[in-house]
């Protein structure tokens, strides 16, 4: 039995929370760009929870923007999917299965752009949410008349313009637009690009004035580990337990935070925040971003290369390795927490670091280290570089664990093979995919220069890093030493050596 609206009546409600029939008739209030698991496991989770409590009373239309695949998985299941919440919350084990009915339908931008524009015209629509990855919010000068436009900002502008033409110059037609991409000032960057595109397209001044007065672009921060669809064996086990098939099933940890930067109007529009303490609307959310991006994401990023090179597949399995655990704890507590480039108390940072340790060790979540290396270079620049520079400013010294993380990154990114437009690295005879826009850069560095010069070539490239790493005297030399140690003795021995040396210094 496949999960579908028709089959809900056959599901054991002792095991699964299922939606009431009335929820399927709710109006479409949210237009969401992105079908990814993070959106389905966080914003969509909040909407579904609120609907079940009779608070928000609205559903989500999802735009599938990429050309890969179709909407068949969603269509076959009436856009229903199961969220399996697994982990520890406030000292208690949590195991909850929820069939989410938050999504009304999924529309392919490539195949039915006109249908998306129809949604944009609806007076019922109140909110736009996006997660188009870190590289999605970029300016591409293009006409908004494309069918569809290529870039996400152009798609959004086309939708707003269509809405304005149909609903007119009224305040009620304005939307709350929330970006969740993992970049600083995500909403404001999106807003700037949209209006630059409006000028490029020579749209009327009246439209631009209406939009600036009535559409609110919000920065936001998302924080929940949602590793995605389980592997085949785990999925089969869960489907047996639940009593139905679900090709869209996702697992998520209990911890959840969606911090949205906004005013009273944003709070009122996001009425589903009343359903869960994990959704916060405040005029300033920077402290939440700094804690999450530095301590959770930054630690993930610094550890991912080490774990992958060590042959460790998941975050949980990494937390069964004493040297990895020591690295995670030391890099968070001794290097990142005291050097967060924002006014946050050390005690508050250390409390958050404690929750990160518990989340990493969640036995129910299979979060692959290799997945965390996606856009590895960009993540290192955004999440770690500011901490590195601030640590040096505060201490006039070099953080040894962060430095070791850079050395592991450089090993991981050495690109041994290009095939079918994809790039691969290899370590200890194991090949892995390098899923990073900078892979061609590293392929060139790997194949075209003397490998004795590799570390210096990359770390001295100020254009690549957007910063001069020589401003931290000795940093490049220490990374080179760690890199050489990994090269000569292997990642496991090098990490153990690092831990022993620093314990001996105490």
């Amino acid at each position: 039995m496949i999960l579908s609206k028709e089959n809900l009546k056959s599901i054991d409600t002792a095991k699964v929370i299922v939606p009431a029939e009335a929820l399927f008739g709710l109006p479409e209030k949210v237009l969401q760009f992105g079908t990814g698991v993070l959106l389905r496991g966080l914003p969509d989770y909040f909407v579904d929870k609120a609907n079940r409590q009779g608070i928000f009373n609205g559903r989500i239309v999802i735009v599938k923007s990429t050309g890969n695949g179709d909407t068949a998985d969603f269509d076959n299941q009436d856009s229903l999917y199961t969220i399996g919440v697994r982990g520890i919350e406030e000292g208690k084990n949590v195991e909850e299965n929820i069939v989410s009915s938050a999504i009304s339908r999924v529309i392919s931008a490539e195949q039915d752009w006109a249908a998306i524009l129809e949604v944009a015209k609806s007076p019922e629509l109140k909110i736009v949410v996006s997660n188009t990855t870190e590289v999605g919010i970029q300016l591409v000068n293009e006409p908004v008349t494309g069918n569809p436009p290529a870039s996400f900002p152009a798609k959004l502008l086309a939708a707003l313009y269509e809405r304005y033409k149909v609903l007119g110059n009224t305040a009620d037609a304005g939307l709350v637009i929330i970006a969740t991409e993992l970049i600083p000032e995500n909403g404001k960057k999106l807003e700037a690009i949209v209006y630059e595109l409006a000028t490029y397209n020579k749209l009327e001044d009246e439209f631009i004035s209406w939009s600036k007065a009535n559409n609110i672009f919000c920065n936001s921060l998302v924080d929940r580990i949602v590793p995605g669809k389980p592997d085949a064996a785990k999925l089969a086990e869960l489907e047996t337990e639940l009593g139905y098939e679900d090709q869209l099933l996702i697992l998520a940890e209990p911890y959840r935070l969606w911090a949205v930067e906004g005013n009273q109007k944003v709070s009122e529009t996001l009425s589903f925040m009343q359903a869960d303490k994990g959704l916060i609307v405040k005029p300033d959310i920077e402290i939440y971003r700094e804690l999450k991006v530095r301590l959770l994401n930054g630690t993930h990023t610094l550890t991912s290369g080490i774990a992958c090179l060590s042959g460790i597949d998941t975050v949980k399995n990494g937390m069964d390795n004493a040297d990895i655990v020591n690295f995670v704890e030391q890099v968070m507590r001794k290097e990142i927490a005291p050097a967060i480039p924002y006014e946050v108390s050390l005690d508050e940072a250390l409390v958050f670091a404690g929750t990160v340790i518990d989340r990493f060790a969640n036995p129910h979540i299979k979060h692959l280290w290799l997945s965390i290396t996606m856009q590895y270079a960009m993540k290192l620049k955004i999440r770690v570089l500011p901490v590195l520079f601030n640590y040096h400013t505060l201490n006039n010294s070099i953080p040894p664990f962060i430095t070791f993380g850079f050395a592991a990154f450089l090993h991981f990114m050495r690109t041994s093979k290009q095939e079918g437009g994809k790039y691969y690295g290899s370590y200890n005879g194991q090949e892995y995919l390098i899923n990073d826009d900078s892979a061609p850069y590293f392929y060139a560095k790997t194949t075209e220069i003397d490998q004795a010069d590799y570390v210096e070539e990359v770390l001295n490239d100020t254009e690549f890093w957007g910063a001069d790493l020589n401003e931290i005297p000795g940093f490049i030399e220490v990374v080179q030493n760690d890199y050489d140690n990994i090269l000569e003795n292997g990642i496991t021995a090098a990490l153990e050596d690092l831990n022993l040396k620093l314990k001996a210094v105490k």
Side-chain angles (χ1 to χ4, degrees):
M1 177 178 74
I2 191 168
L3 177 62
S4 67
K5 183 179 176 182
E6 175 65 25
N7 290 329
L8 285 177
K9 60 181 179 294
S10 301
I11 294 176
D12 185 353
T13 55
K15 297 179 179 179
V16 186
I17 298 171
V18 300
E21 177 70 25
L23 298 183
F24 293 96
L26 295 177
E28 295 173 335
K29 293 185 178 181
V30 182
L31 182 62
Q32 176 175 301
F33 288 82
T35 61
V37 295
L38 179 59
L39 289 179
R40 290 196 282 128
L42 193 60
D44 301 358
Y45 167 88
F46 288 134
V47 169
D48 179 70
K49 186 173 183 179
N51 286 343
R52 285 187 276 112
Q53 295 179 18
I55 295 173
F56 181 62
N57 298 322
R59 301 182 80 196
I60 302 164
V61 179
I62 290 185
V63 178
K64 183 176 176 56
S65 295
T66 61
N68 300 325
D70 53 29
T71 64
D73 284 347
F74 289 91
D75 297 341
N76 292 340
Q77 297 185 185
D78 299 316
S79 296
L80 297 170
Y81 65 97
T82 308
I83 304 174
V85 182
R86 302 286 189 276
I88 309 297
E89 185 175 34
E90 298 179 353
K92 298 178 181 178
N93 187 57
V94 176
E95 289 195 26
E96 189 175 44
N97 303 305
I98 306 160
V99 172
S100 173
S101 61
I103 300 169
S104 60
R105 52 187 168 138
V106 178
I107 307 172
S108 167
E110 294 293 332
Q111 297 174 15
D112 199 357
W113 178 239
I116 295 164
L117 293 181
E118 284 300 317
V119 175
K121 300 174 189 177
S122 169
E124 301 281 4
L125 185 67
K126 303 298 180 186
I127 301 165
V128 174
V129 178
S130 73
N131 192 305
T132 54
T133 79
E134 288 91 334
V135 297
I137 300 182
Q138 292 191 13
L139 175 64
V140 178
N141 283 323
E142 60 173 317
V144 294
T145 53
N147 189 23
S151 68
F152 160 59
K155 289 184 177 74
L156 176 58
L157 176 59
L160 293 176
Y161 188 52
E162 194 69 22
R163 185 174 180 83
Y164 167 78
K165 288 191 295 182
V166 172
L167 299 182
N169 187 357
T170 65
D172 289 345
L175 300 172
V176 171
I177 301 161
I178 310 170
T180 69
E181 289 80 1
L182 299 179
I183 58 174
E185 297 285 304
N186 43 22
K188 298 308 175 188
K189 286 184 179 178
L190 175 59
E191 180 179 27
I193 292 171
V194 164
Y195 292 129
E196 191 168 344
L197 273 172
T199 300
Y200 175 82
N201 279 269
K202 299 179 180 178
L203 301 182
E204 304 98 297
D205 291 342
E206 291 80 3
F207 161 72
I208 296 174
S209 296
W210 164 83
S211 185
K212 289 183 176 181
N214 299 293
N215 291 310
I216 303 174
F217 287 77
C218 301
N219 298 325
S220 89
L221 170 80
V222 287
D223 188 3
R224 190 177 209 180
I225 297 173
V226 188
K229 184 178 178 180
D231 61 31
K234 181 64 176 178
L235 180 61
E237 176 188 327
L238 287 167
E239 288 181 337
T240 299
E241 174 190 336
L242 300 174
Y244 57 85
E245 297 178 22
D246 182 357
Q247 291 303 305
L248 298 171
L249 184 148
I250 58 174
L251 294 177
E253 66 171 339
Y255 183 89
R256 60 220 176 263
L257 173 67
W258 189 19
V260 179
E261 195 169 273
N263 56 19
Q264 183 62 33
K265 181 179 178 181
V266 174
S267 295
E268 292 169 358
T269 304
L270 303 186
S271 59
F272 48 89
M273 67 182 290
Q274 302 168 38
D276 195 288
K277 64 182 180 180
L279 174 55
I280 297 168
V281 178
K282 287 188 175 182
D284 184 359
I285 62 167
E286 187 63 17
I287 189 170
Y288 300 105
R289 194 190 82 83
E290 286 293 330
L291 288 171
K292 187 256 185 180
V293 169
R294 308 306 175 194
L295 288 166
L296 176 71
N297 299 137
T299 303
H300 260 156
T301 299
L302 285 165
T303 313
S304 60
I306 299 169
C308 287
L309 297 178
S310 301
I312 299 172
D313 56 351
T314 68
V315 174
K316 167 60 176 67
N317 288 340
M319 299 305 286
D320 292 333
N321 179 296
D323 285 318
I324 294 287
V325 170
N326 186 69
F327 179 88
V328 166
E329 290 186 340
Q330 295 299 317
V331 80
M332 274 203 302
R333 299 182 190 279
K334 299 293 180 63
E335 297 181 1
I336 299 176
I340 292 174
Y342 187 77
E343 189 174 335
V344 53
S345 72
L346 181 58
D347 287 345
E348 190 170 8
L350 291 176
V351 167
F352 188 88
T355 69
V356 171
I357 296 292
D358 290 340
R359 295 166 69 188
F360 278 19
N362 187 337
H364 300 285
I365 299 296
K366 188 174 182 180
H367 198 183
L368 296 174
W369 286 114
L370 189 61
S371 298
I372 295 170
T373 65
M374 181 179 178
Q375 302 298 354
Y376 198 169
M378 179 181 289
K379 289 174 178 176
L380 202 63
K381 296 173 194 176
I382 291 173
R383 299 170 175 179
V384 181
L385 274 187
V387 174
L388 171 64
F389 278 97
N390 200 41
Y391 183 97
H392 180 262
T393 299
L394 295 171
N395 301 285
N396 196 29
S397 62
I398 299 168
F401 289 96
I402 290 177
T403 304
F404 191 87
F406 268 80
F409 162 79
L410 291 170
H411 269 285
F412 181 91
M413 295 298 292
R414 284 187 63 177
T415 311
S416 60
K417 186 175 77 175
Q418 178 187 15
E419 185 175 277
K422 296 182 178 180
Y423 295 85
Y424 299 86
S426 177
Y427 187 79
N428 277 350
Q430 296 297 313
E431 190 174 82
Y432 51 85
L433 176 67
I434 299 177
N435 194 354
D436 193 303
D437 288 344
S438 65
Y441 171 89
F442 281 93
Y443 182 68
K445 295 296 182 186
T446 303
T447 58
E448 296 174 8
I449 64 170
D450 190 318
Q451 286 309 291
D453 300 325
Y454 169 70
V455 173
E456 284 198 12
E457 281 273 347
V458 174
L459 295 184
N460 277 305
D461 190 341
T462 56
E463 183 178 351
F464 176 78
W465 292 103
D468 185 357
L469 295 176
N470 287 293
E471 291 180 3
I472 304 174
F475 173 73
I476 294 176
E477 290 81 358
V478 176
V479 175
Q480 181 74 65
N481 290 338
D482 287 337
Y483 182 91
D484 291 343
N485 194 3
I486 295 171
L487 185 65
E488 294 167 12
N489 301 305
I491 187 72
T492 302
L495 181 59
E496 183 178 356
D497 183 50
L498 173 73
N499 288 331
L500 289 173
K501 281 181 180 177
L502 291 173
K503 282 181 182 178
V505 169
K506 293 179 182 177

